[in-house]
Amino acid sequence: QATNLLFELSRPGRRAHRLDDLDIDSPDVEHLIPDEHRADQPPPLPELAEGDVVRHFVGLSTLNMSVDTHFYPLGSCTMKYNPKRNERLASLPGILDVHPMQSEGTTQGLLALLYDLQNMLAEISGLPGVSLQPAAGAHGELTALLVAAAYFRDSGEDRKIVLTADSAHGTNPASAQMAGFKTKAVKSNADGLVDMDDLRAKLDDQTAVFMLTNPNTLGLFDSQIKEITDLVHQAGALIYLDGANMNAILGITRPGDFGADLMHFNPHKTFSGPHGGGGPGAGPICVRDFLAPYLPSPIVDKDDQGTYRLRRPDSSIGRVRSFFGNVGVLVRAYLYIRTYGGEGLRRVSEDALLGANYLLSKVKHIMDVPHGERCMHEFVASATKLKKQHGLSAMDLAKRILDYGFHAPTVYFPLVVDEAVMIEPTETESKETLDAFAEALFRITEEAGDLVHQAPHTTRISRPDDVTAARRPVLRWQPKSETD
Amino acid sequence: QATNLLFELSRPGRRAHRLDDLDIDSPDVEHLIPDEHRADQPPPLPELAEGDVVRHFVGLSTLNMSVDTHFYPLGSCTMKYNPKRNERLASLPGILDVHPMQSEGTTQGLLALLYDLQNMLAEISGLPGVSLQPAAGAHGELTALLVAAAYFRDSGEDRKIVLTADSAHGTNPASAQMAGFKTKAVKSNADGLVDMDDLRAKLDDQTAVFMLTNPNTLGLFDSQIKEITDLVHQAGALIYLDGANMNAILGITRPGDFGADLMHFNPHKTFSGPHGGGGPGAGPICVRDFLAPYLPSPIVDKDDQGTYRLRRPDSSIGRVRSFFGNVGVLVRAYLYIRTYGGEGLRRVSEDALLGANYLLSKVKHIMDVPHGERCMHEFVASATKLKKQHGLSAMDLAKRILDYGFHAPTVYFPLVVDEAVMIEPTETESKETLDAFAEALFRITEEAGDLVHQAPHTTRISRPDDVTAARRPVLRWQPKSETD
Amino acid sequence: MAYLFHTDADRAQMLASIGADSVQQIIDQQVPQDVQLQRSLNLGDAAGELTLESEMRRLAAQNSSASSHACFLGCGAYDHFIPAAVDEIASRGEYYTSYTPYQAEVSQGNLQVMFEYETLITQITGLAVSNASLYDGGSAATEGVLMALASVRNREKVITSEAVHPEYRDILEAYLKNIGATLVTVPVGDNGDSSAIISAIDEQTACVLIQHPNFLGRLEDVTAIADAAHSKGALLVQSFDPISTGLLKRPGDLGADIAVAEGQCLGNPLQYGGPYLGIMACREDLVRRLPGRIAGQTTDRRGNRCWVLTLQTREQHIRREKATSNICSNQTLLALRATVYLSLLGPEGLRETASHCLRKADYAKRRITASDRFDIVHDGPVFKEFVVRDRSDDVDGLLRHAESQGILAGVALGQFDPSMNDCFLVAVTEKRSRDDIDRLAAVLSDAPCRSAVASA
Amino acid sequence: MAYLFHTDADRAQMLASIGADSVQQIIDQQVPQDVQLQRSLNLGDAAGELTLESEMRRLAAQNSSASSHACFLGCGAYDHFIPAAVDEIASRGEYYTSYTPYQAEVSQGNLQVMFEYETLITQITGLAVSNASLYDGGSAATEGVLMALASVRNREKVITSEAVHPEYRDILEAYLKNIGATLVTVPVGDNGDSSAIISAIDEQTACVLIQHPNFLGRLEDVTAIADAAHSKGALLVQSFDPISTGLLKRPGDLGADIAVAEGQCLGNPLQYGGPYLGIMACREDLVRRLPGRIAGQTTDRRGNRCWVLTLQTREQHIRREKATSNICSNQTLLALRATVYLSLLGPEGLRETASHCLRKADYAKRRITASDRFDIVHDGPVFKEFVVRDRSDDVDGLLRHAESQGILAGVALGQFDPSMNDCFLVAVTEKRSRDDIDRLAAVLSDAPCRSAVASA
């Protein structure tokens, strides 16, 4: 399959897309653009025929694993089945071809959908204020922290510290930093939950927000949750819930009910918007009523006549993105929620729990699972013993499993577990697939030597040299003459 | 990738598609269908989840070579690039969702397109009567022969013999047989063209039609063409042109101009309708004016008011297919012709000739090409010498070339060349691809032994047992209990 | 230009390798001057993608369709729902830009799909063998008759019924005309029973072709006809509705020897009549007369299970004039769609779909006949299609009126049979909502009458 | 249910392996009773595919769109033509159902696309390095400023202009508010020259953010601003229109240090504002401050060229609070579309597209101003967008009237700047036909006036 770069396939004079001759009278380009602005020639893009382009990109696609082709138990990423109906319906011209600057009068259908989605997310989260604007989970975190900052500023409180769990996604501290906060990490205890003593020690009147992931990145629901949220609220701080793991608790428990004040959703995870090779996602946030006035603009309102309107909240932080938000992703989330309905969504989480606990019940006989007999929608195993006894690292395991036709789990995250192997099967994989995956893991533990250390063997490439890539970065193709 | 059959993936109780509850009052099924008609249970179809189904069929697709992924020089099949715009435009709801029994008043756009296509095919063929109804090339042959039979019946002539070339596609004699004719084969001469003596010997007042492929399946344009058609016409018979090779002569010469009376087009070849894994195609036919009254019904006419109407020709043979024809394929043909225009279509054929002659100029140094230094859009090489000298048969060559990432040429056809290897590069492959293919052929001739005899080595399966498949046919999956 | 590759530099190098000055020279060396076209084809200028798309959108907007209108048209082509996964899979280039699997090693995807399709067809027909598909339901019916003629030696009579799709009978007639077979078409009796067909069967009869549910939507007494045919040594060819097998007994269970069908309803779009999917299945002992491609299971040199085209000795590229049929293509892409469709539905989904059609059709009957102007012509059970009589005898005006109100209300039957000039055929699929049906009934009952309602 | 797999039998076996009686028990073992939801979510019933499709079609039909109307709206989102091959490729499951290429061995498709995308972006920007994409043009502009602030130590002033997209400036403000940077926004002078910006730049200035062509369509004097910034030790961040590079000099050629853009125009659908594509490129020496994912070239253990995510030490999952940015996704699917789009266009296609936009915009200007009611506000060159003044001062009425005639005529500028209440912004892409433009002019000139035309 394709290995040549587009640029290497280029031949001067080849063409794919062409426009027909202009059917209007118009001065030449030279008369419309002054010399000082006009380029002598267009950018040196590759020159290709349409057949080249299609074969190239179709060929490249076959070098990817994907949910459509493989089991993809990448922990924390919720790689569930992406419904084809959602792709079809999000592509209706009355959705796909709507311009963001159209007037409200011409977008009532879409605004109705977005309004309903706001309400759905409020119901699922138990938090009434909703902004659909953020473009990704991390963007939602940042937005929520900007909201919190504005709230404290308005309240005249000078709180500059954000607490994060040491098991948190790296985006938590990074988002806090971008929102102008200093961060402190709260330790996990031996059970993988929040260390209450450490929390108490770090919580004070400087604390603005405690960012919490629950269930956390170990796949554990923190049973101390009410105690935690009460403690934080008593200190005058807010609880932010990282919603990356919402797939575990839909209809089972609601962040707003267990004490969260702000949260984001990852619709591309929880509500099966496809991940698109790394994006686009979306990161809508939900907040308590007293925080709603600070949400970014616009949100969708419905007036007395039943007309949908865009509105800027009274004390809005402004905007975090141009236009409304990642509407294409949001439409898919809406369709997903409608497809299941309220009871169905709970069943999603139940099946996610069932699948994860079933796989856990098999994997724990193969490798260590440090934190407990039960998990929510994912669990974290450790290759520490395997590494000591057989020289089999988490990396080896991840690489070798590719040869068995499975995508690898997440490895080396969360940082609180050595040689972490984080497995999230999701609810859309069959028992047969989970059995086959466990069987493959088991077989790998009986393998040894180069078979595992040099794995994968069946893929086009194997163990790329990351170090050289970073030390002497080659970040673009250049014609020979330029690189010489 | 997928090897399990759908039926093996089935688990009782799994479901994908569901309908919501009926929103009407209606008696139960039992009251609407009497017992004697009602099945106790629905057919024993497999039970699968949507994710199963998608992963299964996406996985299977990756086991195919295709034009989108590989060079596919399958002689006589014209595997050219299938334009993506045609797929998009043929899928517009106003085309795709039109019911065949709609009134003319509701289908004027589509009828206008089909009317234009009739005229385009008449212009390209030089034959004014057009039927778009036949569903495939072979169906077009049969339809044209039914037209010829009706014509002779009306003329009171009892002509029961159809002549075919010995190099002809097998469909020619088979179609003749189905139309109630007896067939005789006309030999090829040493140059691969029609043996004029043999033609003269076989031509008499029993001859209804001479079915001719020109350029023929050797990729040769018969330079005797005028002599042939004159001779046949003098005998009171008709010339049928098998249009499989029209990609060679668009705008260069027209069948009507060189003496053909009837012909079919293969729009899925010549006009790049995708081949769809073996279908659908279409087989519109064009005929001389005196044959037009016999065409199948309906054809599209335009009345004085500019309204398009369906019409049954006066002496129509009736129908050869339900409804209008393979409209989806015809729409793509229309779009293809519009995309090139008149001069562009000639360029298509010129580039097809250029590519084929270029590849010929390379291949003739690697293996025998028995018929001449020049070809039209394809040529036939022979592995006879390679087989004698290196034990490398046409089959070995075809199988081994797969390992190099190319689809195989057509082999063992036409029958008039021993160890035939029939190569049609088409105009939508680059010089680089042709060079790489020739290089691969050359390398294979330097290989030997099991490397070629057991090839391919890189594919999921290799050299299936065709003999057992035919002797003890297994034509469906059955549950274990049934097969035991 | 459009999809061409060769640059001027490529052309020069290629011509040099060929040893020709120009492509025109290559042409002149082969195509006699006197047959060369001395002008450009009169087909207009090349149109770019943007131009073509604008034009096609305009042209498509001139057609009504099952998207713009509520569609109650049937007659063998039906507006059933097509799940999105069907389109998603069938639009993969590896399927639609591949060809007939001549090289099994690089066609296992298509071959396995063909084998799965064949199995699914045996499951919905109750017969042992299916081919990999034919052109459409109409030509499949004719191929079924030809196959029966070839299987039952020395008999030339074919019996069919007016209750078989008139277009299918047109095809049959065109094919049979030149090969010396006799076609007997039995009129439909008023009571709709099978006695006329049964009494037409004799010792000269090679086969009987019936349709069940029939062209007018009624259920035939297939078992009785099958028994009668078999007792005279004839074969029964049954054209059936694949969706109906979610509720009705299957052809094989009813005694048919050969089952044929239009497979459009199984996940294939209407597209004004084609490409469609010809389904054909038969008894095991008839397999070597079966036309069209067949995929079968075997093993490769390494012992792996795999699939190949098989029984090719029946086919034209080997047998030439002795082939069982001239057909050398199959409708793989449409068969793929049917395979995905049936996989998504499964037994319960097919039953549910059939049941919705049946019950909505029944509801539509009742709603339409709430108006005095309309009768249902036949008593007795139907599946998803039924004949309505307009007592005002203005079917054409009625249907044009409905079109203008966004409804494709039915197919005028007068075009097939002048005695049914006051009748139209209404088909109801699972896609028609209660609202669609209520609007249909309202539009029909509100339509202006050319004449007063005839007295009852 | 919908996409779930487990049958009752599966459930029983799985629970047995787990050693639990029920899923509820598994929940109870982890989630305290007092936080469990004691009711069902109030989200209505499950909707089947057919139901959902009917509803969505109805809902979509309530929106106007660039399909139903001739669209002259711009402001950073444009109705450019998208070749069908872009959709075909991006709809392959291997692309859209995969995730961030954490395992390079099974992600070479996405990684190579990212590397090709980055190269193409360097080609259209004239800068040395590109990341693999950001959220959208607006957040990219802000990330560009943050990057400049981090690169130029100890300066906190950011200068921008009112001629930068107002929404982009809103984002910038929201981000800068909490991190102690000072934002200075320079008004647009009547003559549109760059003197105001240039004179605002001082030794405290970390960077200048401009847009060229600017929000009102005009061309800025980028080189002069770049020189001024550089002479004071500040960086220039330029937001540009990727399509314009078919004709205009590129940001890197003009002296920009960091280029950002909205990449929607490169083959991505409008979809009411997102998801879109944030483009960002910079000078080589700034690479370690570049936010977002970056793919780089390397070799594997067998010595084969391949691609990996690289420079990850900048990223949040390693650096956490010391990361250059919190962004951990990129818009791969949209970057793929842009990559395919630019590959299909090539240099000549991009020039042709830019040239059609330019010349059609010029034609539209002349047609619109044929009516006395309308002025073009600015002299001087524009690319594809320009400001029209309605001398009758009834922009809202005008635009509503045009909507009713099937035309989305422009964006009212009063919503951004009350002083431009009588102005609207018109964008013309290559998709607008002569007929579209003529209709636009006719509809505008025929629109009813709220008041008489003000005297000139």
Side-chain angles (χ1 to χ4, degrees), chain D residues 8 18 139 152 197 214 242 326 351 355 408 410 422 432 442 454:
Chain D
D8 290 344
I18 295 166
S139 63
V152 182
I197 295 176
N214 74 24
N326 73 329
R351 167 142 64 179
S355 158
L408 303 170
D422 56 350
R432 297 288 72 79

Side-chain angles (χ1 to χ4, degrees), chain C residues 128-146:
Chain C
V129 188
S130 163
N131 69 11
S133 72
L134 296 169
Y135 303 136
D136 72 328
S139 63
T142 293
E143 292 283 346
V145 167
L146 295 177

Side-chain angles (χ1 to χ4, degrees), chain A residues 460-465, chain D residues 298-306:
Chain A
R460 165 172 204 77
I461 66 150
S462 180
R463 305 244 176 173
D465 179 353
Chain D
T298 188
T299 49
D300 79 344
R301 68 171 171 82
R302 303 175 187 125
N304 291 317
R305 180 173 71 168
C306 61

Side-chain angles (χ1 to χ4, degrees), chain C residues 395-414:
Chain C
V395 168
D396 201 55
L398 196 66
L399 298 180
R400 296 302 85 82
H401 172 73
E403 281 167 8
S404 73
Q405 302 300 303
I407 292 180
L408 303 170
V411 175
L413 288 170

Side-chain angles (χ1 to χ4, degrees), chain D residues 115-360:
Chain D
F115 184 80
E116 290 178 340
Y117 165 83
E118 290 166 8
T119 301
L120 291 167
I121 297 304
T122 67
Q123 292 177 338
I124 65 168
T125 56
L127 288 164
V129 189
S130 163
N131 69 12
S133 72
L134 296 169
Y135 304 136
D136 72 329
S139 63
T142 293
E143 292 283 346
V145 167
L146 294 177
M147 181 182 162
L149 280 167
S151 303
V152 182
R153 288 298 187 152
N154 301 319
R155 294 187 180 199
E156 289 176 350
K157 191 193 282 188
V158 174
I159 294 174
T160 188
S161 145
E162 284 186 350
V164 170
H165 196 306
E167 293 192 354
Y168 293 12
R169 289 185 285 114
D170 269 4
I171 303 166
L172 188 59
E173 209 178 324
Y175 273 62
L176 294 186
K177 187 169 269 170
N178 299 299
I179 59 168
T182 313
L183 181 62
V184 176
T185 305
V186 177
V188 185
D190 283 342
N191 58 3
D193 74 17
S194 315
S195 54
I197 295 176
I198 289 172
S199 58
I201 303 172
D202 60 18
E203 310 290 341
Q204 294 314 306
T205 305
C207 69
V208 181
L209 169 67
I210 61 165
Q211 181 174 344
H212 163 72
N214 74 24
F215 178 66
L216 302 173
R218 304 170 81 177
L219 306 187
E220 297 275 1
D221 191 356
V222 182
T223 309
I225 300 169
D227 290 347
H230 294 159
S231 73
K232 296 282 164 73
L235 298 180
L236 178 66
V237 183
Q238 182 199 331
S239 177
F240 72 108
D241 175 348
I243 297 290
S244 74
T245 62
L247 287 175
L248 300 181
K249 287 180 180 162
R250 303 173 298 174
D253 300 336
L254 295 168
D257 303 287
I258 298 169
V260 295
E262 176 52 69
Q264 176 270 329
C265 54
L266 302 175
N268 288 296
L270 289 166
Q271 42 190 347
Y272 197 56
Y276 280 1
L277 173 66
I279 289 174
M280 177 176 270
C282 66
R283 292 192 338 238
E284 186 118 40
D285 58 313
L286 298 172
V287 61
R288 283 173 203 269
R289 293 284 171 191
L290 190 60
R293 302 283 186 193
I294 301 176
Q297 182 174 309
T298 188
T299 49
D300 79 344
R301 68 171 171 82
R302 303 175 187 125
N304 291 317
R305 180 173 71 168
C306 61
W307 291 276
V308 294
L309 290 179
T310 192
L311 302 180
Q312 296 193 68
T313 51
R314 302 161 303 119
E315 290 187 36
Q316 36 66 37
H317 60 285
I318 294 178
R319 298 269 289 177
R320 300 178 76 89
E321 73 278 5
K322 296 198 180 61
T324 56
S325 159
N326 73 329
I327 292 177
C328 76
S329 59
N330 56 303
Q331 310 293 294
T332 309
L333 195 66
L334 298 125
L336 166 67
R337 295 180 67 96
T339 304
V340 179
Y341 179 85
L342 287 171
S343 307
L344 289 169
L345 263 66
E348 285 310 313
L350 187 63
R351 167 142 64 179
E352 217 166 65
T353 296
S355 158
H356 278 228
C357 293
L358 174 75
R359 296 174 69 187
K360 286 179 168 179

Side-chain angles (χ1 to χ4, degrees), chain A residues 191-424:
Chain A
D191 296 330
L193 307 177
V194 170
D195 182 325
M196 295 302 292
D197 293 335
D198 196 47
L199 173 61
R200 280 190 198 92
K202 284 173 179 158
L203 194 63
D204 61 21
D205 61 2
Q206 289 294 299
T207 308
V209 179
F210 181 24
M211 299 181 81
L212 190 64
T213 311
N214 192 29
N216 68 18
T217 57
L218 295 166
L220 305 174
F221 192 94
D222 202 315
S223 53
Q224 317 162 108
I225 186 67
K226 284 298 281 182
E227 198 183 341
I228 294 169
T229 58
D230 288 348
L231 207 60
V232 169
H233 287 151
Q234 282 154 22
L238 300 173
I239 292 282
Y240 179 80
L241 183 93
D242 180 329
N245 294 340
M246 283 301 290
N247 209 46
I249 59 170
L250 298 168
I252 293 172
T253 178
R254 307 196 306 170
D257 295 348
F258 64 63
D261 302 296
L262 316 91
M263 71 166 292
H264 78 266
F265 280 94
N266 297 93
H268 47 293
K269 299 180 182 178
T270 312
F271 304 129
S272 81
H275 285 73
I285 59 171
C286 300
V287 302
R288 288 214 185 275
D289 49 7
F290 62 89
L291 297 168
Y294 301 96
L295 288 174
S297 172
I299 59 173
V300 186
D301 257 0
K302 189 174 177 178
D303 72 14
D304 296 342
Q305 283 74 48
T307 304
Y308 297 94
R309 305 243 172 243
L310 294 177
R311 184 171 67 78
R312 184 183 179 98
D314 296 338
S315 310
S316 176
I317 57 165
R319 290 184 156 275
V320 293
R321 190 193 177 288
S322 53
F323 310 120
F324 187 85
N326 280 359
V327 176
V329 180
L330 299 169
V331 168
R332 287 168 175 81
Y334 168 86
L335 292 167
Y336 182 85
I337 295 169
R338 288 290 317 278
T339 297
Y340 277 107
E343 292 182 16
L345 276 193
R346 185 184 163 104
R347 181 71 169 266
V348 164
S349 288
E350 287 182 0
D351 273 18
L353 265 58
L354 181 65
N357 280 280
Y358 176 65
L359 196 52
L360 169 59
S361 76
K362 300 224 145 190
V363 169
K364 71 184 178 190
H365 301 301
I366 302 167
M367 56 195 296
D368 270 357
V369 181
H371 295 288
E373 285 287 295
R374 289 284 177 271
C375 65
M376 295 295 283
H377 65 304
E378 66 186 354
F379 62 92
V380 180
S382 168
T384 307
K385 266 195 209 155
L386 290 173
K387 195 175 176 189
K388 273 190 204 137
Q389 292 168 2
H390 307 285
L392 185 71
S393 68
M395 171 72 87
D396 292 335
L397 209 63
K399 296 299 183 192
R400 182 59 181 148
I401 197 85
L402 304 175
D403 286 331
Y404 284 85
F406 300 107
H407 195 281
T410 297
V411 287
Y412 301 108
F413 183 83
L415 310 178
V416 295
V417 173
D418 282 345
E419 296 288 326
V421 176
M422 187 186 196
I423 300 175
E424 181 180 10

Side-chain angles (χ1 to χ4, degrees), chain B residues 11-20 49-52 58 62 68 84-85 88, chain D residues 1-5 7 10 46-51 81-85 87-88:
Chain B
R11 292 292 177 278
R14 278 200 192 138
R15 298 231 13 208
H17 185 66
R18 272 171 200 278
L19 294 173
D20 290 323
E50 188 171 316
D52 273 334
V58 170
T62 64
D68 271 7
K84 303 311 168 195
R85 67 192 67 170
R88 174 194 279 181
Chain D
M1 288 202 49
Y3 317 115
L4 301 180
F5 274 73
T7 65
D10 291 335
E49 184 171 0
L50 172 55
T51 305
F81 183 69
I82 303 176
D87 287 338
E88 171 90 10

